[in-house]
Structures are given as structure tokens and as C-alpha cells.
mmCIF file of all heavy atoms in Angstrom:
data_model
loop_
_atom_site.group_PDB
_atom_site.id
_atom_site.type_symbol
_atom_site.label_atom_id
_atom_site.label_comp_id
_atom_site.label_asym_id
_atom_site.label_seq_id
_atom_site.Cartn_x
_atom_site.Cartn_y
_atom_site.Cartn_z
ATOM 1 N N LEU A 102 9.459 -13.320 -19.749
ATOM 2 C CA LEU A 102 9.521 -13.504 -18.343
ATOM 3 C C LEU A 102 9.659 -12.108 -17.737
ATOM 4 O O LEU A 102 9.121 -11.828 -16.628
ATOM 5 C CB LEU A 102 10.582 -14.526 -18.079
ATOM 6 C CG LEU A 102 10.489 -15.094 -16.680
ATOM 7 C CD1 LEU A 102 9.226 -15.741 -16.310
ATOM 8 C CD2 LEU A 102 11.714 -16.123 -16.361
ATOM 9 N N THR A 103 10.529 -11.359 -18.187
ATOM 10 C CA THR A 103 10.801 -10.080 -17.627
ATOM 11 C C THR A 103 9.437 -9.148 -17.659
ATOM 12 O O THR A 103 9.197 -8.505 -16.773
ATOM 13 C CB THR A 103 11.914 -9.413 -18.394
ATOM 14 O OG1 THR A 103 13.069 -10.087 -18.181
ATOM 15 C CG2 THR A 103 12.179 -7.881 -17.867
ATOM 16 N N LEU A 104 8.818 -9.131 -18.835
ATOM 17 C CA LEU A 104 7.604 -8.332 -18.914
ATOM 18 C C LEU A 104 6.562 -8.853 -18.033
ATOM 19 O O LEU A 104 5.818 -8.124 -17.525
ATOM 20 C CB LEU A 104 7.086 -8.404 -20.451
ATOM 21 C CG LEU A 104 8.069 -7.707 -21.464
ATOM 22 C CD1 LEU A 104 7.528 -7.922 -22.842
ATOM 23 C CD2 LEU A 104 8.233 -6.289 -21.100
ATOM 24 N N ALA A 105 6.434 -10.218 -17.847
ATOM 25 C CA ALA A 105 5.434 -10.846 -16.892
ATOM 26 C C ALA A 105 5.713 -10.424 -15.502
ATOM 27 O O ALA A 105 4.891 -10.094 -14.657
ATOM 28 C CB ALA A 105 5.482 -12.330 -17.139
ATOM 29 N N LEU A 106 7.016 -10.344 -15.203
ATOM 30 C CA LEU A 106 7.394 -9.953 -13.818
ATOM 31 C C LEU A 106 6.978 -8.508 -13.701
ATOM 32 O O LEU A 106 6.344 -8.213 -12.553
ATOM 33 C CB LEU A 106 8.953 -10.043 -13.629
ATOM 34 C CG LEU A 106 9.566 -11.341 -13.016
ATOM 35 C CD1 LEU A 106 11.015 -11.365 -13.244
ATOM 36 C CD2 LEU A 106 9.034 -11.770 -11.781
ATOM 37 N N PHE A 107 7.185 -7.686 -14.569
ATOM 38 C CA PHE A 107 6.832 -6.236 -14.410
ATOM 39 C C PHE A 107 5.342 -6.099 -14.443
ATOM 40 O O PHE A 107 4.828 -5.307 -13.576
ATOM 41 C CB PHE A 107 7.475 -5.575 -15.611
ATOM 42 C CG PHE A 107 6.923 -4.098 -15.768
ATOM 43 C CD1 PHE A 107 7.286 -3.101 -14.880
ATOM 44 C CD2 PHE A 107 6.026 -3.758 -16.748
ATOM 45 C CE1 PHE A 107 6.752 -1.833 -15.109
ATOM 46 C CE2 PHE A 107 5.544 -2.471 -16.922
ATOM 47 C CZ PHE A 107 5.831 -1.558 -16.081
ATOM 48 N N ALA A 108 4.621 -6.738 -15.409
ATOM 49 C CA ALA A 108 3.106 -6.488 -15.395
ATOM 50 C C ALA A 108 2.478 -6.981 -14.193
ATOM 51 O O ALA A 108 1.593 -6.201 -13.597
ATOM 52 C CB ALA A 108 2.677 -7.288 -16.659
ATOM 53 N N LEU A 109 2.814 -8.197 -13.709
ATOM 54 C CA LEU A 109 2.116 -8.693 -12.554
ATOM 55 C C LEU A 109 2.495 -7.910 -11.226
ATOM 56 O O LEU A 109 1.608 -7.548 -10.356
ATOM 57 C CB LEU A 109 2.583 -10.168 -12.192
ATOM 58 C CG LEU A 109 1.991 -11.113 -13.358
ATOM 59 C CD1 LEU A 109 2.635 -12.490 -13.088
ATOM 60 C CD2 LEU A 109 0.597 -11.220 -13.256
ATOM 61 N N SER A 110 3.780 -7.491 -11.113
ATOM 62 C CA SER A 110 4.178 -6.743 -9.948
ATOM 63 C C SER A 110 3.578 -5.397 -9.898
ATOM 64 O O SER A 110 3.050 -5.063 -8.812
ATOM 65 C CB SER A 110 5.661 -6.657 -9.784
ATOM 66 O OG SER A 110 6.232 -6.012 -10.893
ATOM 67 N N ILE A 111 3.451 -4.704 -11.002
ATOM 68 C CA ILE A 111 2.882 -3.350 -11.018
ATOM 69 C C ILE A 111 1.384 -3.543 -10.819
ATOM 70 O O ILE A 111 0.750 -2.727 -10.163
ATOM 71 C CB ILE A 111 3.130 -2.680 -12.444
ATOM 72 C CG1 ILE A 111 4.628 -2.127 -12.449
ATOM 73 C CG2 ILE A 111 2.089 -1.605 -12.773
ATOM 74 C CD1 ILE A 111 4.698 -0.952 -11.593
ATOM 75 N N THR A 112 0.728 -4.581 -11.366
ATOM 76 C CA THR A 112 -0.700 -4.721 -11.074
ATOM 77 C C THR A 112 -1.121 -4.845 -9.715
ATOM 78 O O THR A 112 -1.942 -4.349 -9.111
ATOM 79 C CB THR A 112 -1.246 -5.826 -12.127
ATOM 80 O OG1 THR A 112 -0.953 -5.508 -13.381
ATOM 81 C CG2 THR A 112 -2.766 -6.037 -11.937
ATOM 82 N N PHE A 113 -0.481 -6.000 -9.149
ATOM 83 C CA PHE A 113 -0.768 -6.222 -7.759
ATOM 84 C C PHE A 113 -0.306 -5.102 -6.850
ATOM 85 O O PHE A 113 -0.996 -4.852 -5.808
ATOM 86 C CB PHE A 113 -0.066 -7.546 -7.337
ATOM 87 C CG PHE A 113 -0.506 -8.762 -8.057
ATOM 88 C CD1 PHE A 113 0.255 -9.812 -8.446
ATOM 89 C CD2 PHE A 113 -1.906 -8.853 -8.432
ATOM 90 C CE1 PHE A 113 -0.254 -10.892 -9.111
ATOM 91 C CE2 PHE A 113 -2.354 -9.917 -9.019
ATOM 92 C CZ PHE A 113 -1.686 -11.083 -9.394
ATOM 93 N N GLY A 114 0.841 -4.431 -7.147
ATOM 94 C CA GLY A 114 1.283 -3.383 -6.275
ATOM 95 C C GLY A 114 0.329 -2.207 -6.384
ATOM 96 O O GLY A 114 0.126 -1.638 -5.345
ATOM 97 N N ALA A 115 -0.237 -1.842 -7.503
ATOM 98 C CA ALA A 115 -1.107 -0.777 -7.625
ATOM 99 C C ALA A 115 -2.412 -0.977 -6.849
ATOM 100 O O ALA A 115 -3.065 -0.132 -6.223
ATOM 101 C CB ALA A 115 -1.386 -0.614 -9.100
ATOM 102 N N CYS A 116 -2.975 -2.339 -7.039
ATOM 103 C CA CYS A 116 -4.106 -2.653 -6.205
ATOM 104 C C CYS A 116 -3.852 -2.582 -4.678
ATOM 105 O O CYS A 116 -4.746 -1.967 -4.070
ATOM 106 C CB CYS A 116 -4.534 -4.082 -6.571
ATOM 107 S SG CYS A 116 -5.107 -4.306 -8.188
ATOM 108 N N LEU A 117 -2.790 -3.050 -4.235
ATOM 109 C CA LEU A 117 -2.425 -2.861 -2.801
ATOM 110 C C LEU A 117 -2.229 -1.400 -2.461
ATOM 111 O O LEU A 117 -2.623 -1.012 -1.343
ATOM 112 C CB LEU A 117 -1.182 -3.734 -2.538
ATOM 113 C CG LEU A 117 -0.699 -3.610 -1.068
ATOM 114 C CD1 LEU A 117 -1.798 -4.139 -0.158
ATOM 115 C CD2 LEU A 117 0.631 -4.534 -0.916
ATOM 116 N N ALA A 118 -1.619 -0.614 -3.418
ATOM 117 C CA ALA A 118 -1.457 0.748 -3.079
ATOM 118 C C ALA A 118 -2.710 1.549 -2.897
ATOM 119 O O ALA A 118 -2.895 2.545 -2.094
ATOM 120 C CB ALA A 118 -0.546 1.435 -4.109
ATOM 121 N N VAL A 119 -3.740 1.109 -3.788
ATOM 122 C CA VAL A 119 -5.037 1.782 -3.709
ATOM 123 C C VAL A 119 -5.628 1.704 -2.171
ATOM 124 O O VAL A 119 -6.203 2.607 -1.608
ATOM 125 C CB VAL A 119 -6.003 1.401 -4.758
ATOM 126 C CG1 VAL A 119 -7.405 1.859 -4.463
ATOM 127 C CG2 VAL A 119 -5.479 1.727 -6.048
ATOM 128 N N GLY A 120 -5.496 0.440 -1.681
ATOM 129 C CA GLY A 120 -6.143 0.187 -0.297
ATOM 130 C C GLY A 120 -5.272 0.977 0.724
ATOM 131 O O GLY A 120 -5.916 1.455 1.616
ATOM 132 N N LEU A 121 -3.985 0.898 0.616
ATOM 133 C CA LEU A 121 -3.194 1.592 1.577
ATOM 134 C C LEU A 121 -3.290 3.118 1.507
ATOM 135 O O LEU A 121 -3.314 3.764 2.532
ATOM 136 C CB LEU A 121 -1.661 1.202 1.307
ATOM 137 C CG LEU A 121 -1.283 -0.143 1.643
ATOM 138 C CD1 LEU A 121 0.248 -0.424 1.059
ATOM 139 C CD2 LEU A 121 -1.340 -0.465 3.095
ATOM 140 N N THR A 122 -3.633 3.724 0.238
ATOM 141 C CA THR A 122 -3.793 5.086 0.168
ATOM 142 C C THR A 122 -5.211 5.463 0.848
ATOM 143 O O THR A 122 -5.249 6.440 1.554
ATOM 144 C CB THR A 122 -3.983 5.400 -1.254
ATOM 145 O OG1 THR A 122 -2.773 5.120 -1.961
ATOM 146 C CG2 THR A 122 -4.210 6.953 -1.568
ATOM 147 N N ALA A 123 -6.150 4.582 0.690
ATOM 148 C CA ALA A 123 -7.425 4.803 1.354
ATOM 149 C C ALA A 123 -7.193 4.735 2.899
ATOM 150 O O ALA A 123 -7.853 5.604 3.677
ATOM 151 C CB ALA A 123 -8.492 3.697 1.040
ATOM 152 N N MET A 124 -6.349 3.907 3.371
ATOM 153 C CA MET A 124 -5.984 3.941 4.805
ATOM 154 C C MET A 124 -5.152 5.202 5.221
ATOM 155 O O MET A 124 -5.468 5.709 6.278
ATOM 156 C CB MET A 124 -5.172 2.578 5.153
ATOM 157 C CG MET A 124 -5.952 1.263 5.011
ATOM 158 S SD MET A 124 -4.816 -0.126 5.077
ATOM 159 C CE MET A 124 -4.341 -0.065 6.792
ATOM 160 N N ARG A 125 -4.397 5.598 4.358
ATOM 161 C CA ARG A 125 -3.578 6.700 4.627
ATOM 162 C C ARG A 125 -4.470 8.064 4.846
ATOM 163 O O ARG A 125 -4.138 8.948 5.680
ATOM 164 C CB ARG A 125 -2.454 7.060 3.689
ATOM 165 C CG ARG A 125 -1.369 6.043 3.724
ATOM 166 C CD ARG A 125 -0.437 6.432 4.874
ATOM 167 N NE ARG A 125 0.449 7.549 4.563
ATOM 168 C CZ ARG A 125 0.463 8.716 5.294
ATOM 169 N NH1 ARG A 125 -0.318 8.802 6.183
ATOM 170 N NH2 ARG A 125 1.312 9.540 4.977
ATOM 171 N N VAL A 126 -5.452 8.137 4.094
ATOM 172 C CA VAL A 126 -6.296 9.299 4.102
ATOM 173 C C VAL A 126 -7.581 9.078 4.908
ATOM 174 O O VAL A 126 -8.441 9.880 5.032
ATOM 175 C CB VAL A 126 -6.831 9.800 2.717
ATOM 176 C CG1 VAL A 126 -5.533 10.054 1.823
ATOM 177 C CG2 VAL A 126 -7.575 8.633 1.952
ATOM 178 N N SER A 127 -7.634 8.022 5.603
ATOM 179 C CA SER A 127 -8.787 7.618 6.394
ATOM 180 C C SER A 127 -8.831 8.533 7.697
ATOM 181 O O SER A 127 -7.797 8.893 8.230
ATOM 182 C CB SER A 127 -8.781 6.115 6.793
ATOM 183 O OG SER A 127 -9.816 5.873 7.679
ATOM 184 N N ARG A 128 -9.969 8.669 8.156
ATOM 185 C CA ARG A 128 -10.053 9.496 9.490
ATOM 186 C C ARG A 128 -9.848 8.590 10.756
ATOM 187 O O ARG A 128 -9.752 9.092 11.767
ATOM 188 C CB ARG A 128 -11.486 9.990 9.546
ATOM 189 C CG ARG A 128 -12.566 9.005 9.571
ATOM 190 C CD ARG A 128 -13.995 9.741 9.578
ATOM 191 N NE ARG A 128 -15.031 8.783 9.418
ATOM 192 C CZ ARG A 128 -16.352 9.055 9.414
ATOM 193 N NH1 ARG A 128 -16.649 10.349 9.568
ATOM 194 N NH2 ARG A 128 -17.275 8.056 9.425
ATOM 195 N N TYR A 129 -9.691 7.260 10.399
ATOM 196 C CA TYR A 129 -9.276 6.375 11.609
ATOM 197 C C TYR A 129 -7.898 6.326 11.805
ATOM 198 O O TYR A 129 -7.132 5.904 10.867
ATOM 199 C CB TYR A 129 -9.863 5.028 11.393
ATOM 200 C CG TYR A 129 -11.402 4.920 11.213
ATOM 201 C CD1 TYR A 129 -12.101 4.930 9.879
ATOM 202 C CD2 TYR A 129 -12.319 5.154 12.248
ATOM 203 C CE1 TYR A 129 -13.408 4.813 9.656
ATOM 204 C CE2 TYR A 129 -13.699 5.029 12.149
ATOM 205 C CZ TYR A 129 -14.214 5.045 10.841
ATOM 206 O OH TYR A 129 -15.560 5.004 10.680
ATOM 207 N N LYS A 130 -7.340 6.712 12.943
ATOM 208 C CA LYS A 130 -5.952 6.799 13.251
ATOM 209 C C LYS A 130 -5.253 5.363 13.121
ATOM 210 O O LYS A 130 -4.058 5.433 12.711
ATOM 211 C CB LYS A 130 -5.729 7.421 14.563
ATOM 212 C CG LYS A 130 -6.185 8.891 14.785
ATOM 213 C CD LYS A 130 -5.378 9.711 13.815
ATOM 214 C CE LYS A 130 -5.765 11.209 13.957
ATOM 215 N NZ LYS A 130 -5.114 12.140 12.977
ATOM 216 N N LEU A 131 -5.893 4.393 13.534
ATOM 217 C CA LEU A 131 -5.289 3.063 13.480
ATOM 218 C C LEU A 131 -4.923 2.624 12.142
ATOM 219 O O LEU A 131 -3.806 2.180 11.869
ATOM 220 C CB LEU A 131 -6.178 1.989 14.201
ATOM 221 C CG LEU A 131 -5.630 0.557 14.193
ATOM 222 C CD1 LEU A 131 -4.408 0.514 14.873
ATOM 223 C CD2 LEU A 131 -6.715 -0.314 14.835
ATOM 224 N N LEU A 132 -5.860 2.843 11.140
ATOM 225 C CA LEU A 132 -5.558 2.427 9.800
ATOM 226 C C LEU A 132 -4.527 3.258 9.215
ATOM 227 O O LEU A 132 -3.699 2.838 8.491
ATOM 228 C CB LEU A 132 -6.800 2.627 8.964
ATOM 229 C CG LEU A 132 -8.113 1.793 9.235
ATOM 230 C CD1 LEU A 132 -9.266 2.122 8.500
ATOM 231 C CD2 LEU A 132 -7.775 0.261 9.137
ATOM 232 N N ASP A 133 -4.488 4.592 9.537
ATOM 233 C CA ASP A 133 -3.358 5.424 9.071
ATOM 234 C C ASP A 133 -2.076 5.053 9.560
ATOM 235 O O ASP A 133 -1.090 4.972 8.814
ATOM 236 C CB ASP A 133 -3.749 6.969 9.443
ATOM 237 C CG ASP A 133 -2.706 7.884 9.015
ATOM 238 O OD1 ASP A 133 -2.205 7.685 7.935
ATOM 239 O OD2 ASP A 133 -2.290 8.761 9.788
ATOM 240 N N ARG A 134 -2.035 4.548 10.895
ATOM 241 C CA ARG A 134 -0.700 4.219 11.426
ATOM 242 C C ARG A 134 -0.215 2.789 10.793
ATOM 243 O O ARG A 134 0.981 2.722 10.510
ATOM 244 C CB ARG A 134 -0.847 4.123 12.936
ATOM 245 C CG ARG A 134 -0.891 5.473 13.590
ATOM 246 C CD ARG A 134 -1.203 5.353 15.077
ATOM 247 N NE ARG A 134 -1.347 6.516 15.808
ATOM 248 C CZ ARG A 134 -1.739 6.763 16.954
ATOM 249 N NH1 ARG A 134 -1.870 5.677 17.794
ATOM 250 N NH2 ARG A 134 -1.797 8.084 17.508
ATOM 251 N N ILE A 135 -1.104 1.973 10.570
ATOM 252 C CA ILE A 135 -0.777 0.695 9.938
ATOM 253 C C ILE A 135 -0.176 0.906 8.538
ATOM 254 O O ILE A 135 0.887 0.405 8.166
ATOM 255 C CB ILE A 135 -1.905 -0.211 9.863
ATOM 256 C CG1 ILE A 135 -2.385 -0.695 11.171
ATOM 257 C CG2 ILE A 135 -1.627 -1.441 8.891
ATOM 258 C CD1 ILE A 135 -3.716 -1.559 11.161
ATOM 259 N N ALA A 136 -0.871 1.897 7.731
ATOM 260 C CA ALA A 136 -0.333 2.117 6.431
ATOM 261 C C ALA A 136 1.009 2.827 6.420
ATOM 262 O O ALA A 136 1.945 2.596 5.723
ATOM 263 C CB ALA A 136 -1.376 3.083 5.647
ATOM 264 N N ARG A 137 1.153 3.777 7.413
ATOM 265 C CA ARG A 137 2.420 4.418 7.656
ATOM 266 C C ARG A 137 3.576 3.466 8.009
ATOM 267 O O ARG A 137 4.694 3.658 7.527
ATOM 268 C CB ARG A 137 2.327 5.421 8.784
ATOM 269 C CG ARG A 137 1.521 6.730 8.346
ATOM 270 C CD ARG A 137 1.409 7.639 9.641
ATOM 271 N NE ARG A 137 0.760 8.860 9.406
ATOM 272 C CZ ARG A 137 1.320 9.946 9.083
ATOM 273 N NH1 ARG A 137 2.634 10.062 9.013
ATOM 274 N NH2 ARG A 137 0.602 11.062 8.865
ATOM 275 N N ALA A 138 3.240 2.464 8.870
ATOM 276 C CA ALA A 138 4.265 1.507 9.140
ATOM 277 C C ALA A 138 4.772 0.754 7.997
ATOM 278 O O ALA A 138 5.898 0.432 7.782
ATOM 279 C CB ALA A 138 3.796 0.747 10.263
ATOM 280 N N TYR A 139 3.681 0.297 7.230
ATOM 281 C CA TYR A 139 3.966 -0.450 5.913
ATOM 282 C C TYR A 139 4.928 0.331 4.984
ATOM 283 O O TYR A 139 5.970 -0.170 4.573
ATOM 284 C CB TYR A 139 2.729 -0.783 5.248
ATOM 285 C CG TYR A 139 2.925 -1.544 4.064
ATOM 286 C CD1 TYR A 139 2.928 -3.044 3.973
ATOM 287 C CD2 TYR A 139 3.060 -1.001 2.817
ATOM 288 C CE1 TYR A 139 3.093 -3.678 2.870
ATOM 289 C CE2 TYR A 139 3.305 -1.624 1.579
ATOM 290 C CZ TYR A 139 3.252 -3.054 1.663
ATOM 291 O OH TYR A 139 3.500 -3.755 0.427
ATOM 292 N N VAL A 140 4.543 1.605 4.790
ATOM 293 C CA VAL A 140 5.342 2.416 3.889
ATOM 294 C C VAL A 140 6.708 2.629 4.460
ATOM 295 O O VAL A 140 7.693 2.493 3.606
ATOM 296 C CB VAL A 140 4.709 3.779 3.680
ATOM 297 C CG1 VAL A 140 5.609 4.785 2.961
ATOM 298 C CG2 VAL A 140 3.378 3.557 2.940
ATOM 299 N N PHE A 141 6.934 2.791 5.736
ATOM 300 C CA PHE A 141 8.172 2.958 6.278
ATOM 301 C C PHE A 141 9.087 1.706 6.215
ATOM 302 O O PHE A 141 10.242 1.922 5.788
ATOM 303 C CB PHE A 141 7.937 3.368 7.807
ATOM 304 C CG PHE A 141 9.257 3.389 8.539
ATOM 305 C CD1 PHE A 141 10.207 4.529 8.390
ATOM 306 C CD2 PHE A 141 9.703 2.372 9.420
ATOM 307 C CE1 PHE A 141 11.378 4.462 9.153
ATOM 308 C CE2 PHE A 141 10.842 2.435 10.073
ATOM 309 C CZ PHE A 141 11.760 3.447 9.897
ATOM 310 N N VAL A 142 8.506 0.526 6.343
ATOM 311 C CA VAL A 142 9.344 -0.679 6.372
ATOM 312 C C VAL A 142 9.793 -0.931 4.945
ATOM 313 O O VAL A 142 11.001 -1.164 4.654
ATOM 314 C CB VAL A 142 8.518 -1.815 6.919
ATOM 315 C CG1 VAL A 142 9.108 -3.195 6.657
ATOM 316 C CG2 VAL A 142 8.251 -1.655 8.350
ATOM 317 N N PHE A 143 8.815 -0.855 3.871
ATOM 318 C CA PHE A 143 9.194 -1.237 2.675
ATOM 319 C C PHE A 143 9.860 -0.230 1.750
ATOM 320 O O PHE A 143 10.558 -0.630 0.860
ATOM 321 C CB PHE A 143 7.899 -1.689 1.752
ATOM 322 C CG PHE A 143 7.428 -3.047 2.210
ATOM 323 C CD1 PHE A 143 6.531 -3.254 3.227
ATOM 324 C CD2 PHE A 143 7.918 -4.174 1.546
ATOM 325 C CE1 PHE A 143 6.188 -4.457 3.595
ATOM 326 C CE2 PHE A 143 7.641 -5.456 2.046
ATOM 327 C CZ PHE A 143 6.694 -5.618 3.014
#
């Protein structure tokens, strides 16, 4: 159960992080600000 928690959270977290990273390096300021706010909160 511990390993399942780790594997699922890392997998979903990495997939979400890839999208957020694309928003952070995007040339569109709105996407960058949304990603910045998410990172700041969590």
C-alpha cells in the first residue's frame, strides 16, 4: 500500500508537472501566471 501510494502520486505528479512546466516556459503570460500561482500555493 505504501509503494502504491508512492508510485501513483509520483506518476500523476510528474504528468501534471510536465504540463505546468510547459506553462511556466510558455510565452503566454496568463499561462505562466497560473502555473506560478499553483506552485506558490502548494
Side-chain angles (χ1 to χ4, degrees):
L102 193 60
T103 296
L104 295 178
L106 274 174
F107 167 72
L109 291 175
S110 61
I111 280 292
T112 301
F113 294 144
C116 294
L117 180 58
V119 170
L121 290 170
T122 303
M124 295 170 64
R125 285 286 281 117
V126 299
S127 173
R128 58 184 177 180
Y129 300 104
K130 296 296 183 181
L131 179 61
L132 296 178
D133 179 38
R134 290 176 180 175
I135 293 174
R137 283 175 180 266
Y139 178 93
V140 171
F141 173 76
V142 170
F143 283 93

